[in-house]
Amino acid sequence: MLERANPVSESRVGEGGWRVVVGTRLSRIAAIVAAFVVVGLVVLPAFASRALIQDLIFVFTMLALAQLWNVLAGWGGLITVGQQAFVGLGGYVLFAATVLAGLDPLLAIPLAGLFAGLVAALIGPLLFRLEGPYFAIGSWVVAEVCRLLCAQFKPLGGGTGTSLPNVVTANMWGLKPVQDLLAVRAPVARDVIVYWLTLVVVVATIAAIYAFARSRLGLALAATRDSMAASRSIGIRAHRIRYGLWIVCGVATGIVGAIVYLQKARISPDAAFSVTDWTAYVLFIAVIGGVRTIEGPVVGVLLLWALQHYLAQFGSLYLLLLGLIAIVMMLFLPKGLWGTFAERADIHLMPLRRRLRRS
Amino acid sequence: MAVIDTLVQGALLGGVYALFALGLSLIFGVMRLVNLAHGDFIVLAAFIVLVGATSFGLSLPVATLIAVVAMFCLGFALQRLVLEAVLGEDIMPPLLITFGLSIVIQNGLLLGFGADSRRLDAGAFETRSLEVVQGLNVGLAPLLALIVAIAVILLLQLLFYRTALGRAFRATSDNPEIAQLMGIDHRNIYAVAVGISLAVSVIAAVAFGIRANFDPAIGPARLLYAFEAVIIGGLGSLWGTLAGGMVLGIAQTVGARIDPEWQILAGHLAFLLVLFLQPRGLFPARRA
Amino acid sequence: MTTLLATHALDAFYGDFQALFGVDFELAQGEAVAVVGANGAGKSTLLKSLVGLLRNRHDAIHFLDHDIGDRPAPEIVRMGLALVPEGRQLFASLSVEENLLVGAYGAARREPWALDTVYELFPVLRERRRGNVADMSGGQQQMVAIGRALMSNPRVLLCDEISLGLAPVIVEDIYRLIPRIRAGGTSVVIVEQDVARALRTVDRFYCLQEGRVTLAGRPADVSFDDVRKAYFGA
Ligand SMILES: Nc1ncnc2c1ncn2[C@@H]1O[C@H](COP(=O)(O)OP(=O)(O)OP(=O)(O)O)[C@@H](O)[C@H]1O
Ligand SMILES: [Mg+2]
């Protein structure tokens, strides 16, 4: 996002002094503010408590997952409730690569992404055969298959799962320098590394989605979603874009899963492939903030964080409440908090639409 | 004999899966809605029957009947008050709402009943079995489930193809706007469809609940089985759904014979295999 | 003659786009009226408004002493309005007979039209009653569409371009039915591109142009030139 400090693209339209603009003055200010925020977040571990760092890890991972779901569902029309498949696979590959193959965790993370992407590439054509809403359940089945297969994988503890041995993270790349740099103990340093990783992932995800949404590909895909006629005329191409999007999101989700489980240091099939943890929260974030906007999930994740903080101890009641809030939102504010606000106030921090402006 | 026994047990299990699937496929057929809370509604129905039978001391058939009426009304109200507002071109809102409902029902049941496993008490009936031939025993409860599934399909066929309401369902499914020109209020048609779907879920819940344990968390798995039966059988065909349920049941039973831990996985894999080989299902309806 | 159906300053919109501007339309008991106009003039929009597929101001439409402008279509249909929609729009998953039967779903009355009488009107439909509507010729499909609308025994039958895409002989056959339909006590509104044919069939007509009534009257009272002007604009 730093290199997008001036997101204005323009082109002349005729002689009338009109031009097409995407950016606005506000969006430029927002980009600058965002750049400062990111810099602030990078140096935050020097001051912040470990608890805050851990909270932010949660916020960043959930935000990344929500953005990934949002681009799949909102732009690609691929409404999935099976993202836990890629989170879980990412986690399991991380464990397999580090515990069984002795790789460094930092090396295992991209490997996890690649593996998740490979699975996405293989299963995608099958799932795409399912009509509209049935795709959603199909993706859930795939996640269940992954869960059951991992539960059969005895070297990583089968159904009960396993913990990451200390040696794995004790010698992790970058641990020593971070320990020295911040003068902290190894566990804290590990959290900081994970924190930075999640920060990189979430910023990269948002930047990539923003770039995609404004690109020709993204606009073409948005058009197919909005109009059946258009989708028929550019159907084949849309199908390819969608497939590519699906794979890329699989890779990214796998990476997030690997990072999450590096932090948790304990994995089990039920947790790694939990529909509540990796899809329900994610949908909640998107719905509350506003599907099909990039700012929305940021609002949504902060709200979830707050609710989690105050209500998570109530267990089932908390989840019940989240479900009810989401339903009520869908009924009365279907565009979410941010989407509604942006529309009413005509404020777009990360504008996607092209507008005509008189120069 | 073991082979035949496996096939028979699997096919009988398929009756229950077909019952799970009928409600799901019914509302998809009429209104292109996929209810992600379908499995949780089945579990909710099981708990309603359980409460009727244990807390109010009703007999199982009476409790079932009351639950059928209650769930029909719930479905009708759900459609008119909640789903109707979000039904349209965009398939995302109904999916999100029903997913939310799934979370709400699951956790509501957890709050009300705890995480313990329950079972519907059908007396001695649930353990009785019939020796069809030497060495092949068929449980009465599974057999009855299959018979009930067939009966429900017949009733639905009758409703769909022999009554004015059924014609209204199919007309609305073809084109809701033109259906209005026939004096059909599509909103009520949709609401009745959801009502029937949930009423059938009660039958499914009882058929399931007298032979297996249930708890608030098992809804999503029932949704997946229902969905797999629908897709394996082929969209738009009720008998296909029954066959799909049986294929799924047989796959699971075969899987379980190999290794008990493989039961569920085998079912999912059979589904993926059918999707790979025969994407329109094994017995697709004649018209697309 | 008593007015059965009327609009008062009817405006109609598709989103922000206004398709009708202050249309005053009237239909008396037993009358046959034509609505003519070029493509996009708003003829179908007028019929859709009458039958409630487009919602309007409460008092913009008057039918049988009720203001029905804002009532939903099923309710209006049940009061006795039936539309043969443009392009026939049969139900593909229903057989020929089922298409007819579903037409009676919200029937206001049971007389005079029923399966038997519709089959008398269109004998070929009886032969193909179990058939699939998609396998029929355009003319036969149009018969199903008309029959389906008649099955509700409407007081007013609205026909949107029933001759569209049909061979001239078939069109002739279909238009010959209009007197029989009127004989059953049904008033008729026909929307037609073929102005000459329309004017031969009806008592009165309206000409629409870009959403406005540009001419109305009895066919006998206007010259062909008047109609042409009203139709295409000056
Ligand atoms: N669903 C719709 N959405 C938006 N605009 C519409 C819609 N239907 C019709 N219109 C517009 O409203 C105007 C009137 O259309 P209408 O269909 O009533 O014309 P018509 O006289 O029936 O034409 P035709 O002879 O082609 O059937 C046209 O400009 C048309 O483009
Ligand atoms: Mg028209």
Side-chain angles (χ1 to χ4, degrees), chain C residues 35 70 95 121-122 137 150 160 168-169 198 207 218 225:
Chain C
V35 178
D70 56 353
S95 69
L121 201 61
F122 305 114
S137 72
L150 287 176
D160 199 347
V169 254
C207 186
R218 302 182 168 280
D225 234 30

Side-chain angles (χ1 to χ4, degrees), chain C residues 14 17 19 38-45 48 86 161 193:
Chain C
Y14 294 101
F17 176 78
N39 281 345
K43 307 178 296 290
S44 300
T45 305
K48 280 194 231 165
E86 192 172 356
E161 308 215 9
Q193 298 262 0

Side-chain angles (χ1 to χ4, degrees), chain B:
Chain B
M1 205 51 157
V3 175
I4 294 177
D5 185 54
T6 306
L7 291 179
V8 169
Q9 305 304 341
L12 291 177
L13 187 58
V16 178
Y17 290 163
L19 283 171
F20 288 162
L22 287 173
L24 188 73
S25 115
L26 188 131
I27 52 174
F28 183 76
V30 173
M31 54 207 278
R32 306 280 130 185
L33 173 83
V34 165
N35 177 7
L36 291 180
H38 184 69
D40 304 288
F41 276 112
I42 294 173
V43 178
L44 174 66
F47 273 99
I48 292 178
V49 174
L50 182 75
V51 168
T54 54
S55 304
F56 293 92
L58 302 171
S59 71
L60 199 55
V62 174
T64 304
L65 200 68
I66 291 174
V68 164
V69 175
M71 289 294 277
F72 178 88
C73 296
L74 179 65
F76 193 96
L78 177 70
Q79 169 62 27
R80 287 309 305 256
L81 302 178
V82 179
L83 296 177
E84 184 180 299
V86 295
L87 218 56
E89 284 280 290
D90 189 354
I91 60 169
M92 191 194 287
L95 277 175
L96 293 181
I97 291 226
T98 55
F99 188 79
L101 276 174
S102 158
I103 303 283
V104 168
I105 296 172
Q106 261 178 66
N107 289 286
L109 287 174
L110 261 175
L111 281 177
F113 298 94
D116 296 346
S117 280
R118 312 296 181 110
R119 198 168 199 155
L120 295 177
D121 183 8
F125 176 75
E126 70 191 60
T127 51
R128 287 238 293 275
S129 67
L130 214 67
E131 184 161 24
V132 182
V133 287
Q134 180 87 55
L136 180 63
N137 282 304
V138 171
L140 274 191
L143 187 63
L144 188 72
L146 181 61
I147 293 170
V148 167
I150 292 170
V152 171
I153 290 177
L154 282 174
L155 274 175
L156 287 177
Q157 295 269 20
L158 218 60
L159 173 74
F160 267 76
Y161 294 98
R162 293 279 179 275
T163 68
L165 182 65
R167 283 190 292 273
F169 273 133
R170 285 150 61 214
T172 309
S173 163
D174 277 357
N175 188 336
E177 186 177 49
I178 299 301
Q180 292 183 55
L181 294 178
M182 310 296 118
I184 298 168
D185 188 338
H186 64 299
R187 294 168 308 175
N188 281 334
I189 290 295
Y190 288 161
V192 170
V194 177
I196 294 176
S197 164
L198 294 200
V200 172
S201 299
V202 178
I203 316 276
V206 174
F208 173 73
I210 56 178
R211 61 180 294 186
N213 290 337
F214 57 90
D215 65 70
I218 65 157
R222 302 318 106 176
L223 169 74
L224 299 192
Y225 302 157
F227 158 76
E228 289 171 342
V230 171
I231 301 292
I232 292 175
L235 292 185
S237 150
L238 295 180
W239 294 114
T241 299
L242 179 64
M246 288 182 165
V247 169
L248 182 64
I250 290 170
Q252 287 193 357
T253 319
V254 170
R257 280 287 154 92
I258 297 168
D259 179 340
E261 288 189 17
W262 279 77
Q263 177 181 352
I264 311 300
L265 192 57
H268 291 326
L269 293 179
F271 157 74
L272 291 176
L273 191 68
V274 170
L275 193 59
F276 180 64
L277 298 175
Q278 201 79 54
R280 299 196 55 229
L282 298 179
F283 312 94
R286 274 152 297 147
R287 267 193 298 272

Side-chain angles (χ1 to χ4, degrees), chain A residues 124-171:
Chain A
L126 218 50
L127 285 184
F128 286 9
R129 295 176 169 188
L130 293 166
E131 192 183 333
Y134 275 141
F135 173 84
I137 316 188
S139 67
W140 201 342
V141 170
V142 168
E144 278 301 286
V145 170
C146 293
R147 178 177 70 84
L148 293 165
L149 284 175
C150 285
Q152 290 301 308
F153 192 59
K154 305 297 181 211
L156 287 179
T160 46
T162 189
S163 296
L164 208 57
N166 266 333
V167 288
V168 168
T169 48
N171 302 317

Side-chain angles (χ1 to χ4, degrees), chain A residues 52-329:
Chain A
L52 179 63
I53 293 299
Q54 285 175 342
D55 270 12
L56 286 177
I57 290 173
F58 170 79
V59 168
F60 293 162
T61 50
M62 291 321 273
L63 180 56
L65 291 176
Q67 294 288 10
L68 289 166
W69 181 85
N70 195 21
V71 71
L72 273 179
W75 273 265
L78 298 168
I79 304 167
T80 153
V81 288
Q83 286 301 84
Q84 65 274 21
F86 303 117
V87 174
L89 284 177
Y92 265 91
V93 171
L94 176 98
F95 270 59
T98 53
V99 179
L100 304 179
L103 287 185
D104 188 90
L106 294 190
L107 210 68
I109 290 169
L111 203 65
L114 285 181
F115 187 81
L118 183 70
V119 172
L122 288 176
I123 206 71
L126 218 50
L127 285 184
F128 286 9
R129 295 176 169 188
L130 293 166
E131 192 183 333
Y134 275 141
F135 173 84
I137 316 188
S139 67
W140 201 342
V141 170
V142 168
E144 278 301 286
V145 170
C146 293
R147 178 177 70 84
L148 293 165
L149 284 175
C150 285
Q152 290 301 308
F153 192 59
K154 305 297 181 211
L156 287 179
T160 46
T162 189
S163 296
L164 208 57
N166 266 333
V167 288
V168 168
T169 48
N171 302 317
M172 193 167 113
W173 293 343
L175 198 69
K176 264 270 166 289
V178 171
Q179 261 182 280
D180 297 343
L181 182 72
L182 301 175
V184 289
R185 288 178 301 116
V188 181
R190 197 193 64 196
D191 280 356
V192 171
I193 291 176
V194 169
Y195 167 84
W196 277 334
L197 287 172
T198 55
L199 183 61
V200 168
V201 167
V202 78
V203 170
T205 304
I206 292 175
I209 291 175
Y210 190 42
F212 170 75
R214 291 172 37 163
S215 70
R216 275 172 197 286
L217 290 183
L219 292 174
L221 209 55
T224 64
R225 194 198 63 226
D226 294 341
S227 142
M228 280 310 280
S231 77
R232 251 178 247 117
S233 65
I234 45 174
I236 309 265
R237 205 173 133 225
H239 188 80
R240 286 209 195 112
I241 305 174
R242 215 170 264 145
Y243 183 45
L245 186 67
W246 168 253
I247 296 173
V248 172
C249 288
V251 172
T253 309
I255 288 177
V256 174
I259 299 175
V260 165
Y261 278 93
L262 177 60
Q263 152 81 4
K264 288 191 189 285
R266 151 131 209 99
I267 201 164
S268 73
D270 288 351
F273 296 94
S274 157
V275 67
T276 309
D277 289 352
W278 311 122
T279 290
Y281 288 146
V282 161
L283 295 195
F284 179 83
I285 291 169
V287 166
I288 296 305
V291 180
R292 288 168 194 155
T293 67
I294 295 178
E295 303 93 327
V298 179
V299 176
V301 79
L302 294 177
L303 206 84
L304 178 72
W305 183 28
L307 287 172
Q308 180 107 343
H309 193 77
Y310 291 109
L311 300 175
Q313 76 245 35
F314 294 110
S316 297
L317 194 61
Y318 166 62
L319 286 168
L320 180 88
L321 202 70
L322 290 191
L324 283 178
I325 293 176
I327 291 172
V328 170
M329 282 295 290

